[in-house]
Amino acid sequence: MTETAPRPTLEAVAARAGVSRATASRVVNGGDGVREPLVERVRRAVDELGYVPNQAARSLVTKRHDAVAVVVAEPETRVFADPFFALQLRGISKELTAHDNQLVLLLTEGRDDHARVGRYLAGGHVDGALVFSLHLDDPLPGLIRRAGIPTVFGGRPGWSDGDGGDVVYVDSDNRGGARDAVRHLVALGRTRVAHITGPLDQTSAADRLDGYRDVMADADPRLVVPGDFTPAGGERAMRELLDHRPDVDAVFAANDLTAAGALRVLREHGRRVPEDVAVIGFDDMLPVAEQTDPPLTTVRQDIEEMGRLMARLLLRGPDGPHTGEQAPRSGVVLPTTLVRRASA
């Protein structure tokens, strides 16, 4: 067996720096009241010895864990298959890493998972939570509120639980982006514009449907078909559209994955895009939008920046692990942009 070297202790750091253990502890844990020359000596001793603070002991002193829970209210099969989540998680991870915070990923698939996540958040393991992809009947907001930790939500909250407190969230202009997409289709001369929705128990999907209706207020109800933000859902919805309204000449899909599924079905049925049917998606996820046939016209939202901003607001907040610049105690809505490619 190979013997491991003893782990450097805080006492060793203090001895190397020529200061008391209390002074070394204040420097290591980010405390105030230590003169700069002593701070430099302690930091140099930390580097020379390779000292790594004991996180459990440090948490007792600082009341911080330098860890943030990222709660995604979707099953793992959806999270790891949809590039939207990868982009948002990448933005979150970049921001947390820049502030030396760890990301703790928590996924929920059923009621047992909700209870587990609620217990974990209430157990004092993390300094805050970033929560996204909530559904209207999701119990997570109530569980998180009872846990009493700072929280930023991804997406405009749509639940109604009697709580009038401020909620911090980051979202995109889903309704305005949808209006831009449908107006573009109308400007192309399309008169039978359909919409394949996302799951309408999520505010992003409901807002995109509202944006469609802002422009197509008198549209045939059969032109609105439910989807679920997945390629398979887009395929099912497109088949239903072609059955009920074979004269459809444009489709606004609630996201790029839905649009990709719709494009496959149109191709199977011999419909040319955009000559016969113009198609627009939502998200501008490049792994999807640039690889569809034809490349997809879509509404761009900066998904990675949304993740970064969620983390930034949490770390800035007055109750968050990093104080300083104040976070708004309300929602932040980012603009969207129509990106024109070959499908419309």
Side-chain angles (χ1 to χ4, degrees), residues 4 6 21 24 32 60 70 84 89 93 119 121 154 173 178 182 189 208 214 218 235 250 258 272 304 327 334 338:
T4 58
R21 186 188 187 282
D32 298 323
L60 290 174
V70 177
F84 177 92
L89 287 169
S93 179
R119 289 193 302 270
L121 296 178
D173 184 8
V182 179
R208 292 170 199 178
D214 288 342
D218 299 324
E235 292 179 5
T258 298
R272 297 169 302 161
E304 186 171 330
L334 301 179
L338 183 67

Side-chain angles (χ1 to χ4, degrees), residues 185-313:
L185 293 170
V186 171
L188 293 176
R190 308 303 168 119
T191 58
R192 298 172 297 280
V193 181
H195 177 45
I196 302 176
T197 76
L200 294 177
D201 63 345
Q202 292 187 298
T203 55
S204 58
D207 288 348
R208 292 170 199 178
L209 174 58
D210 287 342
Y212 166 84
R213 286 174 169 162
D214 288 342
V215 182
M216 304 294 296
D218 299 324
D220 181 348
R222 293 177 299 173
L223 287 170
V224 176
V225 183
D228 59 5
F229 283 157
T230 69
E235 292 179 5
R236 287 192 300 270
M238 194 68 241
R239 289 192 177 95
E240 181 177 338
L241 270 172
L242 292 176
D243 286 343
H244 296 154
R245 285 298 306 258
D247 59 341
V248 61
D249 61 4
V251 175
F252 166 51
N255 75 342
D256 291 349
L257 292 176
T258 298
L263 286 170
R264 281 197 289 271
V265 171
L266 288 169
R267 188 163 54 249
E268 289 172 2
H269 283 73
R271 302 296 180 92
R272 297 169 302 161
V273 177
E275 293 85 356
D276 300 328
V277 182
V279 177
I280 295 182
F282 201 112
D283 283 336
D284 194 32
M285 297 186 295
L286 297 185
V288 179
E290 290 186 341
Q291 295 180 19
T292 57
D293 182 19
L296 185 64
T297 295
T298 185
V299 178
R300 184 175 194 272
Q301 58 174 340
D302 195 336
I303 301 168
E304 186 171 330
E305 178 58 23
M306 288 171 63
R308 293 193 74 139
L309 184 54
M310 286 175 65
R312 199 173 304 142
L313 293 178

Side-chain angles (χ1 to χ4, degrees), residues 23 41 57 122 136 184 186 199 234 262 279:
T23 296
R41 280 159 54 182
L136 292 181
H184 177 67
V186 171
V279 177

Side-chain angles (χ1 to χ4, degrees), residues 67-123:
V68 171
V70 177
V71 185
V72 186
E74 299 288 354
E76 63 180 38
T77 51
R78 170 90 193 279
V79 172
F80 294 118
D82 188 335
F84 177 92
F85 297 108
L87 288 168
Q88 195 153 38
L89 287 169
R90 184 164 70 184
I92 291 169
S93 179
K94 284 182 178 178
E95 191 67 22
L96 294 181
T97 298
H99 291 89
D100 200 22
N101 272 248
Q102 301 301 313
L103 184 159
V104 180
L105 181 62
L106 304 174
L107 307 179
T108 64
E109 190 160 5
R111 295 291 165 171
D112 291 342
D113 289 328
H114 290 130
R116 170 182 55 81
V117 169
R119 289 193 302 270
Y120 183 85
L121 296 178

